Amino acid sequence: MASVPLANIRNFSIVAHIDHGKSTLADRLIQETGTVALRDMGEQMLDSMDIERERGITIKAQTVRLQYRAKDGEDYVLNLMDTPGHVDFGYEVSRSLAACEGSLLVVDASQGVEAQTLANVYAAIDAGHEIVPVLNKIDLPAAEPDRVKQQIEDVIGIDASEAVPISAKTGLGIPDVLEAIVTRLPPPRGDAAGPLKALLVDSWYDAYLGVVVLVRVIDGTLRKGQRVTMMGTDAHYEVDRLGVFTPKMKDAAELGPGEMGFITAQIKQVADTRVGDTITDERRPCAESLPGFKPAQPVVFCGLFPVDAADFEDLRAAMGRLRLNDASFSFEMESSAALGFGFRCGFLGLLHLEIIQERLEREFNLDLIATAPSVVYRIARRDGVEQELHNPADMPDPTLIASISEPWIRATILTPDEYLGSVLKLCQERRGVQADLNYVGTRAMAVYDLPLNEVVFDFYDRLKSISKGYASFDYAITDYREGDLVRMNILVNAEPVDALSMLVHRDRAEGRGRLMVEKLKDLIPQHMFVIPVQAAIGGKIIARETVRAMRKDVTAKCYGGDVTRKRKLLEKQKAGKKKMRQFGKVEIPQEAFIAALKMDG
């Protein structure tokens, strides 16, 4: 397979809000160009994980090379990157965009522009992309292509007069999309004679090949047998296999400028292949490395513990392997009095947390308990030391703390007019500060500053339920602000359960504590003794409920006879219950921990 002339290559990604039809459009493009035989075609060809297919979302960005003969008779190579639409996987989007020159902006012709559409298209514009608007789902009775074109121009500010109307489901208008890619998106630039400079877009671990690296060649040529250097980690390897995805791996002899493909080089550690790194020739390196990407910063932390303590080593191995596949997931060991040994894990958001937990349980057959998610707080101590707090259980003595700061986000919410009141009320309840409010056609766009702590629990679920699923939400972390935060402990039978302790705003502590103990009272099963469930701040109890004891009728087998016999049995039971309460261990089921997260249900 010879290198393709630069003028005949197009690298593009598809950006859109969740469920606006990115993966379906990718399927149709693969089908239209005959890249995959019809008998091998399936739904969501590029979503390779079971979870992606079940949930109907894209989690990992995927790439595929399409061969296309245009109307002018020229043969083109189109490298397509299908990107996730969800805010938690924004880092996947930014990487994919850096490898491309143009984007197809897919907008649902019945729904219009949503919050994530804005976030993703602005990321594409920042990456210097040429953008071709595509109106999908025009075969739906509710489609309003003219209104949505106007909306794209008003909200995003790009010309939508030549937007391509399509239906990715039926295949209507797909040839027009291919022509638009060839005629309206720019070819890549690069110098084939220069020293090798390639961008490391992604890497993942394969049990047979070792680490597989997805690369985009900028200058020079990448060949089999070449000695290469990763500039960021200064690791040296010899390329033993290279090729392209069609979507299956297909070997090639070389990759020229502007091309996208994969290499393997018997790499054992994914740590050596940092995403955003520059790959260059060992003997003839390029002068300077590419700017790369900002590393993914985890924003939500939670503890993951095995239900059976004997599975701890299996969990450690599973997390190590998952980390190879997902560079944005971080973890470190921790121990808890209630749950034993486990890991403190960092995620990019709640969906990311859910997906990782589900993958660990499915792919590695583990039973896990997750603690309440918390965000990263910054503590200024009285002795001038600043520290980051990932786990509320590690909070230092309140007398040593000068102030606690929490992360705040700038949230953009797009909602139909009739739900605006409920949405604003929800933001006010969560200590939100309104930054902007304006109208885009019949939809309102509210911009709020909110504490991340208030969003992390179930803000997204509540927003969807009060707007009947029509509101969309996107956020970016802005800064840290000082707040009146206190640690609330939950005591079960006078023992603190560190897995349920959380940092809350002082004004909301009592309400949260009351809700929590009421829920736990219903969730903790009855034991043979009375169990008090309390919420406390320091030594002050702010809420209490009691789980009643189960009683066994010890006198059931006494028919008649002397009353002292009955009394003796009852006294014995009473003494046993008293002793039990001192030494009894309360079993708290998994649902109790999960219910603690869904606080405002």
Side-chain angles (χ1 to χ4, degrees):
M1 193 170 77
S3 275
V4 186
L6 270 175
N8 289 21
I9 298 176
R10 297 289 183 275
N11 295 319
F12 69 99
S13 61
I14 305 180
V15 293
H17 188 76
I18 313 153
D19 281 344
H20 279 205
K22 290 186 300 295
S23 298
T24 314
L25 174 57
D27 287 353
R28 288 298 84 75
L29 293 173
I30 291 170
Q31 194 176 336
E32 185 70 26
T33 53
T35 304
V36 173
L38 269 176
R39 65 172 184 273
D40 297 330
M41 273 302 291
E43 292 285 308
Q44 298 175 325
M45 284 292 294
L46 298 181
D47 289 349
S48 49
M49 280 192 267
D50 291 344
I51 301 180
E52 290 184 309
R53 289 169 181 275
E54 277 169 30
R55 290 180 175 235
I57 56 173
T58 304
I59 295 167
K60 292 290 289 179
Q62 300 284 356
T63 176
V64 62
R65 180 188 180 112
L66 313 171
Q67 302 278 356
Y68 173 61
R69 173 158 288 178
K71 286 178 181 168
D72 58 11
E74 286 275 334
D75 284 328
Y76 288 88
V77 163
L78 313 178
N79 289 313
L80 151 68
M81 296 285 277
D82 180 24
T83 59
H86 199 282
V87 61
D88 285 12
F89 305 111
Y91 69 100
E92 288 279 349
V93 178
S94 64
R95 305 210 290 237
S96 311
L97 296 178
C100 303
E101 285 79 35
S103 288
L104 296 182
L105 168 66
V106 180
V107 181
D108 183 329
S110 60
Q111 301 266 7
V113 174
E114 304 267 10
Q116 226 85 51
T117 315
L118 281 174
N120 290 338
V121 77
Y122 287 151
I125 292 167
D126 289 347
H129 279 204
E130 189 66 40
I131 292 178
V132 173
V134 175
L135 300 183
N136 191 14
K137 308 191 188 182
I138 58 158
D139 55 333
L140 291 181
E144 300 175 76
D146 294 335
R147 181 182 68 81
V148 174
K149 275 186 191 178
Q150 192 57 47
Q151 206 182 7
I152 291 173
E153 294 188 354
D154 294 348
V155 182
I156 301 171
I158 56 176
D159 179 22
S161 57
E162 292 184 35
V164 186
I166 66 158
S167 164
K169 198 170 183 182
T170 62
L172 176 72
I174 299 299
D176 302 340
V177 176
L178 288 162
E179 278 301 311
I181 291 167
V182 167
T183 54
R184 291 164 62 183
L185 295 183
R189 291 196 295 269
D191 175 13
L196 173 68
K197 182 189 273 189
L199 174 69
L200 199 160
V201 182
D202 200 0
S203 61
W204 60 92
Y205 191 77
D206 183 292
Y208 301 103
L209 302 169
V211 178
V212 180
V213 179
L214 181 64
V215 293
R216 154 72 206 271
V217 182
I218 310 289
D219 295 325
T221 310
L222 193 54
R223 295 184 181 85
K224 197 172 169 180
Q226 191 172 8
R227 294 279 304 172
V228 293
T229 303
M230 314 281 174
M231 291 180 83
T233 52
D234 198 32
H236 304 269
Y237 292 104
E238 184 175 318
V239 178
D240 59 13
R241 181 181 175 190
L242 72 116
V244 295
F245 289 101
T246 67
K248 294 187 169 58
M249 287 181 162
K250 183 180 173 186
D251 286 0
E254 58 180 39
L255 291 173
E259 290 195 89
M260 236 182 258
F262 69 87
I263 61 168
T264 65
Q266 295 179 2
I267 305 169
K268 305 284 190 295
Q269 296 284 335
V270 171
D272 289 347
T273 56
R274 278 218 303 268
V275 167
D277 203 348
T278 306
I279 301 174
T280 188
D281 192 318
E282 188 178 271
R283 295 186 186 83
R284 187 181 164 215
C286 56
E288 57 186 38
S289 59
L290 295 158
F293 312 115
K294 286 191 294 219
Q297 286 294 330
V299 293
V300 177
F301 284 82
C302 98
L304 287 179
F305 295 84
V307 171
D308 179 358
D311 292 342
F312 174 72
E313 283 304 324
D314 296 345
L315 177 61
R316 184 202 296 261
M319 286 196 167
R321 284 171 65 183
L322 205 55
R323 169 112 173 89
L324 296 179
N325 243 323
D326 185 347
S328 59
F329 163 57
S330 59
F331 63 91
E332 56 187 35
M333 213 181 113
E334 74 165 353
S335 64
S336 144
L339 301 169
F341 287 105
F343 292 92
R344 189 93 195 143
C345 307
F347 306 93
L348 299 175
L350 279 188
L351 179 69
H352 190 207
L353 184 160
E354 253 179 71
I355 297 288
I356 292 278
Q357 191 178 346
E358 202 166 318
R359 285 184 68 186
L360 284 168
E361 288 178 347
R362 271 190 193 192
E363 294 172 25
F364 305 99
N365 293 328
L366 294 164
D367 275 339
L368 300 177
I369 291 178
T371 64
S374 70
V375 297
V376 184
Y377 297 94
R378 288 189 182 151
I379 291 181
R381 296 166 64 123
R382 293 192 189 281
D383 55 9
V385 177
E386 280 207 354
Q387 71 179 79
E388 286 198 341
L389 181 71
H390 294 182
N391 185 352
D394 300 335
M395 187 168 155
D397 188 321
T399 55
L400 305 174
I401 297 173
S403 68
I404 305 177
S405 306
E406 59 182 337
W408 279 63
I409 60 169
R410 172 63 60 95
T412 307
I413 301 168
L414 280 169
T415 173
D417 213 7
E418 63 262 38
Y419 307 117
L420 181 63
S422 314
V423 169
L424 297 185
K425 182 167 174 265
L426 174 68
C427 293
Q428 295 295 343
E429 279 173 8
R430 300 302 174 97
R431 302 192 279 133
V433 180
Q434 190 173 317
D436 193 11
L437 178 65
N438 50 41
Y439 280 84
V440 185
T442 58
R443 305 179 67 134
M445 184 165 98
V447 180
Y448 262 85
D449 287 337
L450 286 154
L452 182 61
N453 176 9
E454 300 286 349
V455 175
V456 105
F457 283 96
D458 57 353
F459 182 84
Y460 192 66
D461 296 347
R462 287 289 305 281
L463 181 69
K464 284 292 181 198
S465 63
I466 60 177
S467 66
K468 298 194 170 55
Y470 285 110
S472 58
F473 165 69
D474 180 62
Y475 69 85
I477 290 187
T478 49
D479 57 356
Y480 272 77
R481 300 184 193 176
E482 208 172 297
D484 185 10
L485 301 164
V486 290
R487 183 173 78 182
M488 182 173 77
N489 289 321
I490 299 295
L491 311 174
V492 175
N493 201 17
E495 287 284 320
V497 181
D498 52 1
L500 293 178
S501 61
M502 60 172 82
L503 278 181
V504 289
H505 196 268
R506 195 182 294 276
D507 298 347
R508 299 198 60 190
E510 193 176 326
R512 251 214 178 143
R514 185 150 288 142
L515 265 172
M516 182 83 96
V517 295
E518 280 172 11
K519 274 217 167 135
L520 285 173
K521 176 195 167 198
D522 299 334
L523 285 157
I524 295 173
Q526 283 188 319
H527 286 54
M528 297 304 253
F529 48 94
V530 173
I531 304 169
V533 182
Q534 298 160 312
I537 295 174
K540 184 183 171 193
I541 304 294
I542 55 172
R544 171 187 167 130
E545 290 286 341
T546 307
V547 181
R548 291 174 53 195
M550 269 192 305
R551 298 279 311 248
K552 181 182 172 190
D553 187 0
V554 287
T555 60
K557 60 183 184 288
C558 299
Y559 295 106
D562 191 1
V563 73
T564 54
R565 192 159 158 241
K566 282 187 178 178
R567 206 170 286 148
K568 193 172 164 190
L569 286 168
L570 288 167
E571 287 295 328
K572 196 173 170 189
Q573 183 187 32
K574 198 168 160 190
K577 289 230 181 289
K578 194 172 172 187
K579 190 172 180 185
M580 249 190 221
R581 180 152 172 210
Q582 281 176 324
F583 299 106
K585 277 191 82 67
V586 179
E587 291 295 325
I588 304 178
Q590 167 91 27
E591 298 87 76
F593 289 105
I594 293 169
L597 320 187
K598 304 211 182 316
M599 277 303 305
D600 297 314

